[in-house]
């Protein structure tokens, strides 16, 4: 969603700001803007609806220069994506700011401010922050006093990450509550420079060293250094982290899109994730702990049931995991969508482990669900997350980090299979803790990355099939058992990136509704395992065929299913292993979504209206 970037340096901030915004694009947005202090210290704003490249064009035409500066990519919530609603917002030429999050009491504040005579220039909730801050008393030539600014921010309800710039003051303020914000620290020739970013990805070309602001923190950055004040106004230090992420991981390499690159990175993402959780083939408790492996083992040994909660693709990973956890650890499992769970009053049975899964660790609903779970009497909270600096990673009791690396395509691919790998490790760890067999399954994990590679080799065949699907306007996905959540994920991928209507049903539900949609020419996609459910699925396929539906089947060759009139078959690497199957069938469905979208000419890496991490409710 929205992205913040700020630069405090002795050089012109504009190119760095535009570079930072380009790296925030992947989060999803619909307008962009920046503000700098010009030579004489006056505030200059430049904003544009549309893409960062539109802002770049404007910046070049305007020859805007200055330092320090702040910049923003906006994903519209309050008010349409127009130049006026784009951030930064300013008032009276004294102060400009950019904001991520939502101010829930903005209407009340706005009414008060209008009564005081404030004039509004946008429809945004953000503009009330500018007017509130502008009231702060400040001395001659000095900027907003940090403590006074914090007191003003204390009146805001909702969430914010802010970067603030003031006329005549070569200083930046950064503050957060509920929305992530990092401070990057310049190194080498750039020592003494500071960068503000809502996302680590945008810092990577400039620095590998950063610190994470905590909720309630306000940072004051100027030529003398960085001073951080906590919510109570006390001067504090926050630990500096050095990331090992490679700045080149932001490039698309030889691939046309991040999504395609990330699909092909899956063997590596799965390998790295498995390696993090296994030692000599044995699942370890230590990588799941936040410090004390013995405590983790003690908790895991007590688990009697699990409750898995997530959003989007991560929710589909949880659905797959429920099959594994039931089968291998014989533990009852419930799976919920975070936005539903957070408003329920759950009955928590004794010794239930709460598991939340999130690529970004910043999804608002998943965080709210976690915070609710912490009060609800669960045995413990466990997070599976791909982002070490995220709120979720810091707030769970037990944490496992997936090793997918940076994922920039809005539609999640490698983070999904890495989550599946993590959930396999969890299933085995719990099976082991409960004295159930785990060794043979763990041994098979070693082959998983190589088998995934086999699956990715189907790309050409999938590409050939994409043309017919690209011309359809409605696609039905069906699945059974372990491959039902994989089919659901396939439908979600296709919808996200190709904008085609795609929906998924359990194949057994066909006669309870979706069969009414099937008529000659309707496209149906089905992943098919060679297992005990095959005869049932075959019957469903016949029902579709009898009504003229045209099917694309991803099948284990041993099913004997072959191309025929109205049926195209793609052979997926055969497997009997229930850990392998979802990971072998998911990538071909991702590739299908990608190639259909490519034919339809959509914005694959940044699909319209969608955001990489949904940081507001
Ligand atoms: C957004 C993204 C999806 C992602 C979902 C959950 O909708 O576009 O790709 O699956 O959020 O995100 P999380 O970071 O919590 O896994």
């Amino acid at each position: 969603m929205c992205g913040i970037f700020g630069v405090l340096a002795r050089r012109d901030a504009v190119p760095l700001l535009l570079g930072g915004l380009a790296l925030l694009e992947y989060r999803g947005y619909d307008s962009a803007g920046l503000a700098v202090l010009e030579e004489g210290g006056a505030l200059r704003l430049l904003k544009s609806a549309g893409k960062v490249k539109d802002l770049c064009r404007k910046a070049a035409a305007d020859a805007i220069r200055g330092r320090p500066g702040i910049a923003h990519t906006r994903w519209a919530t309050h008010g349409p994506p127009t130049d006026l609603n784009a951030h930064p917002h300013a008032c009276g030429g004294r102060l400009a700011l950019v904001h991520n999050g939502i101010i829930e009491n903005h209407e009340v504040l706005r009414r008060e401010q209008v009564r005081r005579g404030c004039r509004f220039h946008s429809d945004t909730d953000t503009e009330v922050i500018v007017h509130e801050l502008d009231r702060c008393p400040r001395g001659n030539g000095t900027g907003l006093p940090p403590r006074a600014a914090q007191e003003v921010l204390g009146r805001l309800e909702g969430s914010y990450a802010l970067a603030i710039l003031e006329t005549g003051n070569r200083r930046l303020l950064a503050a957060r509550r509920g929305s992530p914000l990092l401070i990057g620290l310049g190194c080498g020739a750039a020592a003494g420079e500071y960068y503000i970013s809502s996302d680590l990805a945008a810092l990577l070309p400039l620095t590998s060293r950063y610190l994470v602001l905590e909720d309630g923190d306000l940072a004051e950055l100027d030529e003398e250094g960085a001073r951080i004040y906590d919510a109570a106004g006390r001067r504090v230090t926050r630990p500096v982290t050095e990331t090992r992420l490679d700045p080149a991981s932001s490039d698309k390499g030889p691939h046309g899109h991040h999504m395609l690159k990330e699909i092909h990175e899956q063997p590596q993402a799965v390998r790295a994730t498995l390696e993090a959780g296994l030692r000599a083939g044995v699942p370890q408790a230590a990588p799941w702990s936040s410090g004390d492996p013995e405590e983790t083992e003690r908790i895991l040994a007590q688990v009697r049931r699990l409750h898995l909660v997530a959003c989007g693709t991560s929710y589909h990973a949880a659905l797959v995991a429920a099959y594994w956890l039931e089968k291998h650890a014989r533990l009852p499992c419930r799976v919920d969508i975070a936005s539903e769970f957070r408003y329920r009053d759950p009955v928590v049975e004794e010794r239930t482990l709460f598991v939340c899964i999130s690529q970004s660790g910043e999804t608002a609903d998943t965080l709210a669900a976690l915070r609710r779970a912490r009060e609800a009497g669960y045995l413990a909270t466990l997070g599976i997350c791909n982002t070490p600096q995220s709120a979720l990673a810091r707030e769970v009791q037990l944490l496992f980090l997936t090793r997918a690396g940076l994922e920039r395509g809005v539609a999640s691919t490698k983070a999904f299979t890495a989550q599946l790998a993590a959930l396999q490790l969890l299933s085995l760890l719990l099976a082991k803790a409960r004295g159930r067999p785990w060794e043979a399954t763990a041994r098979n994990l070693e082959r998983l990355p190589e088998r995934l590679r086999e699956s990715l080799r189907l790309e050409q065949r999938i590409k050939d099939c994409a043309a017919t699907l690209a011309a359809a306007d409605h696609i039905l996905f069906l699945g059974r058992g372990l491959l039902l959540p994989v089919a659901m994920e396939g439908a979600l991928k296709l919808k996200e990136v190709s904008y085609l209507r795609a929906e998924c049903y359990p194949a057994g539900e066909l006669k309870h509704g979706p069969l009414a949609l099937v008529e000659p020419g309707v496209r149906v996609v089905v992943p098919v395992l060679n297992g005990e459910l095959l005869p049932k699925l075959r019957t469903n396929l016949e029902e579709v065929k009898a009504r003229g539906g045209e099917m694309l089947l991803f099948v284990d060759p041993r099913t004997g299913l072959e191309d025929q009139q109205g049926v195209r078959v793609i052979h997926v690497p055969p497997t009997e292993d229930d850990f392998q199957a979802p990971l072998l069938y998911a990538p071909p469905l991702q590739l299908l979504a990608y190639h259909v979208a490519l034919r339809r000419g959509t914005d694959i890496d940044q699909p319209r209206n969608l955001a990489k991490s949904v940081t507001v409710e």
Side-chain angles (χ1 to χ4, degrees):
M1 291 191 132
C2 303
I4 287 178
F5 201 69
V7 174
L8 183 112
R10 286 179 174 220
R11 46 184 168 151
D12 178 19
V14 174
L16 301 180
L17 292 172
L18 292 171
L21 289 188
L23 291 171
L24 292 171
E25 283 194 290
Y26 80 103
R27 299 177 64 88
Y29 72 106
D30 33 43
S31 59
L34 60 83
V36 288
L37 291 192
E38 289 185 312
E39 189 65 34
L43 203 54
R44 264 307 295 289
L45 268 66
L46 200 67
K47 316 206 267 185
S48 177
K51 293 289 182 185
V52 170
K53 65 176 183 328
D54 301 314
L55 183 68
C56 290
R57 263 195 296 272
K58 270 195 179 175
D62 185 284
I64 184 172
R65 290 176 56 82
R67 69 185 175 87
I70 56 175
H72 193 256
T73 47
R74 171 175 186 256
W75 189 88
T77 55
H78 298 70
T82 58
D83 286 9
L84 279 181
N85 286 333
H87 299 209
H89 291 286
C91 82
R94 286 184 294 270
L95 170 149
L97 61 81
V98 292
H99 167 222
N100 287 359
I102 288 190
I103 303 306
E104 285 163 5
N105 58 341
H106 74 103
E107 282 173 345
V108 179
L109 293 172
R110 195 174 180 122
R111 273 197 297 274
E112 280 174 29
Q113 293 170 347
V114 168
R115 272 199 298 274
R116 287 204 309 265
C118 298
R119 292 195 40 214
F120 281 80
H121 303 282
S122 77
D123 312 311
T124 63
D125 53 333
T126 300
E127 208 178 335
V128 298
I129 314 176
V130 185
H131 291 299
E132 283 305 287
L133 285 172
D134 194 45
R135 286 174 79 195
C136 270
R138 51 201 110 154
N140 228 352
T142 62
L144 286 167
R147 189 64 199 139
Q150 277 182 305
E151 272 162 23
V152 168
L153 298 180
R155 291 194 63 201
L156 305 177
E157 287 166 21
S159 60
Y160 58 78
L162 295 168
I164 304 168
L165 177 67
E166 295 160 275
T167 308
N169 205 332
R170 299 208 187 273
R171 173 187 82 154
L172 294 178
L173 296 180
R176 75 160 275 186
R177 189 176 74 208
S179 282
L181 204 56
L182 313 175
I183 308 289
L185 313 172
C187 331
E193 292 191 351
Y194 292 97
Y195 320 106
I196 301 171
S197 181
S198 51
D199 189 316
L200 183 57
L203 291 178
L204 294 180
L206 294 169
T207 184
S208 57
R209 298 179 70 234
Y210 68 95
L211 54 89
V212 182
L213 291 185
E214 304 259 330
D215 266 347
D217 280 358
L218 181 138
E220 189 180 18
L221 313 172
D222 59 23
E223 291 199 343
E224 278 157 32
R227 294 170 296 286
I228 302 174
Y229 305 92
D230 70 6
R234 285 181 300 246
R235 182 87 184 265
V236 286
T237 53
R238 299 292 177 215
V240 174
T241 306
E242 179 113 32
T243 176
R244 277 181 293 188
L245 281 175
D246 176 3
S249 56
S250 293
D251 301 340
K252 293 175 197 158
H255 302 279
H257 292 93
H258 288 294
M259 182 179 178
L260 188 60
K261 175 183 174 237
E262 287 159 5
I263 289 173
H264 284 281
E265 283 173 349
Q266 291 181 102
Q268 171 53 24
V270 166
R271 180 184 299 286
T273 302
L274 290 175
E275 279 174 2
L278 295 167
R279 196 181 317 136
V282 182
Q284 303 292 309
W288 295 82
S289 72
S290 311
D292 181 356
E294 277 170 27
E295 169 72 356
T296 306
E297 284 195 36
R298 198 185 54 73
I299 293 173
L300 294 180
Q302 288 183 60
V303 177
R304 288 295 169 271
R305 46 187 55 80
L306 294 105
H307 195 166
L308 282 73
V309 174
C311 299
T313 291
S314 301
Y315 168 70
H316 293 152
L319 290 176
V320 175
Y323 288 85
W324 292 332
L325 287 157
E326 267 176 15
K327 180 169 168 197
H328 294 273
R330 297 302 298 149
L331 284 167
C333 238
R334 181 170 143 189
V335 183
D336 261 310
I337 287 183
S339 54
E340 288 297 314
F341 170 81
R342 66 180 286 191
Y343 292 113
R344 280 221 312 269
D345 189 4
V347 176
V348 181
E349 289 173 276
E350 247 185 274
R351 304 210 217 164
T352 306
L353 180 67
F354 180 87
V355 180
C356 48
I357 307 168
S358 173
Q359 186 286 126
S360 62
E362 298 293 353
T363 302
D365 284 320
T366 308
L367 283 175
L370 166 64
R371 288 166 190 158
R372 180 162 188 117
R374 288 207 315 226
E375 314 296 315
Y378 285 92
L379 171 66
T381 58
L382 181 152
I384 295 178
C385 183
N386 197 43
T387 313
Q389 70 279 9
S390 64
L392 185 137
R394 283 179 291 130
E395 291 182 29
V396 286
Q397 268 170 279
L398 307 181
L399 170 68
F400 183 87
L401 288 170
T402 47
R403 303 317 203 255
L406 265 187
E407 189 182 63
R408 297 182 58 87
V410 164
S412 183
T413 53
K414 63 174 179 172
F416 175 63
T417 38
Q419 286 167 347
L420 292 180
L423 288 158
Q424 296 179 336
L425 294 170
L426 180 64
S427 308
L428 290 181
L429 209 49
L430 287 167
K432 187 164 159 260
R434 294 168 56 74
R436 299 200 47 86
W438 57 271
E439 294 88 342
T441 321
R443 264 197 304 279
N444 269 350
L445 286 180
E446 252 179 53
R447 297 195 54 222
L448 198 49
E450 186 42 45
R451 302 235 59 207
L452 245 162
R453 241 174 234 117
E454 285 174 43
S455 200
L456 291 167
R457 287 190 204 114
L458 299 172
E459 183 166 5
Q460 189 52 50
R461 175 104 171 104
I462 293 168
K463 208 167 160 181
D464 298 341
C465 296
T468 48
L469 287 192
D473 54 15
H474 179 240
I475 298 170
L476 181 62
F477 282 69
L478 298 174
R480 267 189 187 263
L482 195 54
L483 292 191
L484 170 60
V486 174
M488 290 166 75
E489 174 59 12
L492 175 65
K493 264 332 55 125
L494 190 70
K495 183 167 19 209
E496 283 177 314
V497 298
S498 75
Y499 313 156
L500 280 172
R501 271 187 294 280
E503 56 184 335
C504 180
Y505 271 88
E509 283 287 291
L510 193 58
K511 291 190 273 296
H512 299 290
L515 200 53
L517 301 175
V518 180
E519 58 180 354
V522 163
R523 310 280 159 181
V524 182
V525 177
V526 195
V528 186
L529 263 185
N530 184 40
E532 56 187 14
L533 295 178
L534 180 61
K536 310 279 173 211
L537 200 52
R538 271 182 184 275
T539 309
N540 300 133
L541 302 180
E542 290 302 332
E543 288 160 355
V544 170
K545 199 170 142 213
R547 286 157 185 86
E550 294 197 17
M551 289 181 280
L552 174 61
L553 307 181
F554 291 84
V555 306
D556 184 317
R558 295 166 307 171
T559 56
L561 289 162
E562 294 294 345
D563 278 356
Q564 51 176 289
Q565 179 65 30
V567 181
R568 294 203 63 182
V569 164
I570 293 179
H571 286 150
V572 177
T575 186
E576 252 122 50
D577 182 320
D578 69 327
F579 267 20
Q580 282 188 1
L583 283 111
L584 299 186
Y585 282 75
L589 292 176
Q590 297 164 347
L591 285 167
L592 181 69
Y594 174 80
H595 283 289
V596 170
L598 196 63
R599 289 198 158 259
R600 290 172 58 84
T602 55
D603 191 350
I604 294 181
D605 283 334
Q606 292 153 44
R608 66 182 179 204
N609 306 335
L610 299 183
K612 180 72 190 151
S613 101
V614 180
T615 49
V616 295
E617 195 176 349

